[in-house]
């Protein structure tokens, strides 16, 4: 099978590095992203449509990173883009908000099981920070319980002590516990009486570099009760899973009710808007917090979110993505097995994590992923992957062809292991 090369990407990256810190910063760049080995990856996209993007060298990829989540219906979805164009033609960033903001809030209240209200910002980190501030305003307490390895954005409170730019004061109110360890959470509550404002968690545990973990039987019911009994706000960070498990919220999917729930990535199919939804009892506290931003009330992203949520409801998008993800991951495992690879799948199938477990150092895994990327299936190594509604059975079949050729290539290179 022919493999890709990226001369233009590499040339453009050198140009970017001269004027932009680290060339491409954060999770989309080769330095902090999981682009290992870096030569296997393109750095710049030129265009995208449906389930695919094309890089600046003209290579086409079936994209299983989905812009790290936002691509949920397919890139450039015609219904979403038409809604945006219509709104752009009459006004986007205006002195007063338009009624698109209310329309979106009404739609979310109607869609999300735990939502009585919605507040909008731009990024996931805006709404996780706002959730924490709302919980503090409501309880007049300082501390937050978080799970080791969880990610809630880049605000100083959400980063780790020891990271560049972070002070001890930024994280001194954080109490870290381990996923599915109810006794540890109970002890944290007991040891900090009247101090804990909030427990913030993703619906299931999806850290990088580790097998993802679903909630243990009864875990959320116990945590919900503990929070209620102790006046702690239960905030669910659904920034990544939101709309990929259930349109009604991932708390609904796992059978409990959050007090606050954060959405971003899949909310507007790539347009820039995030939302914090909450229950009536926290509406006053949310109103009291000083919180806004230059573009937060712009109308075109609201129009995009309305069209996205409406279409996800119409398609039953989450169900579709879970089913396609199951087909894909089971097929990849089976092909891997035939070549001697132990491909472990964890998390939920619409947002799965995978790892080749034949060696301890993850090198075989990185080699296989690299060979898939070089043949047109875009994965990263140690982050969860994403399905979108535009991924067809044909795309999955083509991914199997790519994956098999990649398994064969890695096996030939490592006769000593496989
Ligand atoms: C679970 C979770 N929370 C919060 C965030 C932060 O979102 P953003 O990068 O849009 O600020 C992310 C982003 O990846 C996330 O996955």
């Amino acid at each position: 099978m022919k493999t890709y090369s990226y001369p233009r990407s590499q040339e453009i990256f050198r140009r970017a590095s001269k004027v932009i810190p680290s060339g491409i910063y954060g999770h989309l760049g080769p330095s902090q992203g999981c682009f290992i080995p870096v030569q296997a990856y393109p750095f710049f996209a030129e265009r995208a449509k449906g389930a695919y993007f094309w890089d600046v060298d003209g290579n086409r990829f079936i994209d299983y990173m989905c812009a790290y989540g936002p691509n949920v219906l397919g890139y450039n979805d015609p219904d979403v883009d038409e809604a945006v164009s219509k709104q752009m033609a009459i006004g986007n960033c205006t002195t007063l908000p338009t009624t698109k903001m209310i329309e979106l809030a009404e739609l979310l209240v109607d869609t999300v099981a735990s939502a009585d209200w919605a507040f909008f910002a731009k990024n996931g980190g805006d709404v996780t920070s706002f959730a924490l501030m709302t919980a503090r305003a409501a309880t007049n307490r300082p501390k937050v319980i978080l799970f080791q390895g969880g990610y809630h954005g880049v605000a100083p409170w959400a980063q780790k002590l020891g990271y560049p730019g972070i002070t001890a004061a930024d994280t001194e109110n954080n109490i870290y516990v381990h996923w599915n360890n109810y006794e540890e959470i109970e002890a944290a509550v007991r040891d900090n009486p009247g101090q804990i404002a909030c427990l913030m968690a993703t619906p299931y545990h999806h850290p990088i570099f580790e097998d993802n973990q679903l909630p243990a039987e009864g875990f959320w019911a116990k945590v919900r009760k503990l929070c209620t009994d102790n006046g702690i706000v239960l905030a669910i960070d659904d920034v990544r899973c939101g709309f990929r498990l259930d349109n009604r919220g991932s708390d609904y999917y796992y059978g409990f009710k959050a007090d606050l729930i954060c959405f971003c990535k899949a909310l507007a199919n790539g347009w820039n808007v995030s939302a914090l939804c909450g229950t009536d009892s926290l509406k006053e506290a949310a109103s009291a917090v000083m919180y806004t931003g230059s573009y937060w009330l712009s109308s075109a992203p609201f129009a995009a979110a309305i069209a996205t949520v409406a279409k996800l409801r119409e398609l039953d998008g989450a169900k579709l993505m879970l089913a396609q993800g199951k087909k894909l991951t089971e097929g990849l495992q089976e092909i891997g097995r035939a070549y001697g690879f132990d491909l472990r799948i964890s998390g939920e199938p619409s947002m799965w994590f995978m790892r080749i477990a034949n060696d301890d150092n993850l090198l075989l895994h990185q080699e296989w992923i690299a060979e898939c990327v070089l043949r047109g299936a875009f994965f990263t190594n140690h982050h969860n992957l994403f399905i979108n509604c535009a991924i067809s059975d044909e795309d999955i079949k083509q991914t199997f062809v790519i994956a098999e050729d990649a398994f064969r290539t890695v096996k030939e290179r490592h006769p000593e292991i496989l």
Side-chain angles (χ1 to χ4, degrees):
M1 210 172 178
K2 194 171 164 294
T3 55
Y4 293 168
S5 62
Y6 312 111
R8 278 213 75 212
S9 257
Q10 284 157 5
E11 182 193 320
I12 295 173
F13 186 73
R14 281 191 286 276
R15 182 176 136 211
S17 301
K18 289 187 188 149
V19 288
I20 295 168
S22 70
I24 309 165
Y25 41 82
H27 61 302
L28 298 179
S31 56
Q32 287 172 48
C34 293
F35 292 10
I36 309 165
V38 84
Q39 318 83 267
Y41 283 87
F43 301 142
F44 295 92
E46 192 159 79
R47 64 195 169 91
K49 183 72 198 156
Y52 318 118
F53 78 85
W54 286 259
D55 71 7
V56 286
D57 288 281
N59 303 307
R60 190 196 83 161
F61 296 88
I62 305 171
D63 183 10
Y64 292 107
M65 287 312 290
C66 297
Y68 283 71
N71 182 30
V72 67
L73 289 170
Y75 287 115
N76 305 345
D77 179 82
D79 297 318
V80 176
D81 290 359
E82 190 193 342
V84 171
S85 302
K86 274 193 182 151
Q87 188 56 42
M88 287 295 282
I90 58 169
N92 176 31
C93 186
T94 45
T95 301
L96 304 179
T98 69
T99 53
K100 280 285 167 231
M101 180 169 72
I102 314 166
E103 242 181 87
L104 176 56
E106 287 167 344
L107 181 60
L108 287 181
V109 167
D110 187 57
T111 306
V112 175
S114 55
D116 294 321
W117 52 265
F119 178 107
F120 304 108
K122 285 290 148 213
N123 288 297
D126 298 333
V127 287
T128 55
S129 290
F130 184 48
L132 180 54
M133 289 173 80
T134 299
R136 285 176 173 156
T139 58
N140 207 20
R141 300 173 183 174
K143 297 193 179 181
V144 56
I145 297 179
L146 301 166
F147 288 90
Q148 290 279 6
Y151 181 70
H152 304 293
V154 292
W157 70 266
Q159 297 211 25
K160 303 275 177 298
L161 188 56
Y163 280 18
I166 302 304
T167 68
D170 292 324
T171 57
E172 71 184 9
N173 285 311
N174 298 357
I175 301 168
Y176 293 98
V177 293
H178 292 91
W179 184 258
N180 273 339
N181 190 335
Y182 176 75
E183 287 68 32
E184 210 181 342
I185 303 169
E186 207 176 26
V189 172
R190 198 176 49 239
D191 295 347
N192 294 272
Q195 290 290 298
I196 300 169
C198 183
L199 182 147
M200 186 178 292
T202 55
Y204 73 89
H205 197 43
H206 46 67
I208 52 171
F209 280 96
E210 277 173 39
D211 290 350
N212 289 188
Q213 291 183 66
L214 301 185
E217 185 73 34
F219 177 69
W220 276 126
K222 282 193 284 185
V223 171
R224 173 66 276 181
K225 185 170 184 314
L226 184 71
C227 288
T228 305
D229 292 350
N230 291 277
I232 296 166
V233 173
L234 176 53
I236 290 301
D237 177 352
D238 218 2
V239 165
R240 205 180 304 174
C241 304
F243 300 99
R244 279 190 163 85
L245 303 186
D246 196 301
N247 292 332
R248 290 163 287 191
S250 302
D251 54 345
Y252 184 89
Y253 182 78
Y254 289 122
F256 70 103
K257 193 170 174 204
D259 299 314
L260 294 172
I261 182 161
C262 309
F263 295 105
C264 184
K265 297 174 179 292
L267 180 59
N269 207 48
W271 291 89
N272 49 351
V273 59
S274 58
L276 179 70
C277 293
T279 53
D280 268 334
S281 62
L282 292 166
K283 197 164 164 213
E284 205 177 305
S287 309
V289 175
M290 167 61 188
Y291 215 56
T292 186
S294 295
Y295 306 105
W296 288 14
L297 279 67
S298 295
S299 297
F302 292 147
I306 293 164
T308 303
V309 174
K311 195 158 177 177
L312 284 169
R313 282 176 61 156
E314 198 180 297
L315 292 174
D316 205 345
K319 204 166 155 199
L320 187 75
M321 289 183 277
L322 284 163
Q324 290 299 74
K326 190 165 184 293
K327 224 182 278 174
L328 177 76
T329 51
E330 287 179 356
L332 290 175
Q333 273 187 310
E334 197 183 314
I335 298 164
R337 246 189 321 270
Y339 287 84
F341 289 89
D342 176 11
L343 182 67
R344 305 262 171 98
I345 305 286
S346 56
E348 295 283 3
S350 51
M351 216 185 80
W352 82 103
F353 182 87
M354 62 183 173
R355 157 179 83 88
I356 289 177
N358 297 64
D359 62 349
D360 292 334
N361 53 22
L362 301 171
L363 289 176
L364 277 180
H365 177 73
Q366 290 173 358
E367 277 192 39
W368 175 66
I369 294 282
E371 295 302 328
C372 289
V373 174
L374 288 165
R375 287 160 176 76
F378 197 93
F379 300 125
T380 61
N381 290 282
H382 307 302
H383 190 285
N384 69 262
L385 299 131
F386 299 88
I387 294 285
N388 65 70
C389 297
I391 299 226
S392 65
D393 287 348
E394 201 45 51
D395 296 325
I396 291 177
K397 239 198 283 170
Q398 177 60 17
T399 307
F400 290 160
V401 172
I402 289 170
E404 179 160 9
D405 202 47
F407 278 130
R408 189 184 302 118
T409 303
V410 178
K411 186 181 168 77
E412 278 167 13
R413 220 182 272 152
H414 296 283
E416 77 290 357
I417 308 179
L418 294 153

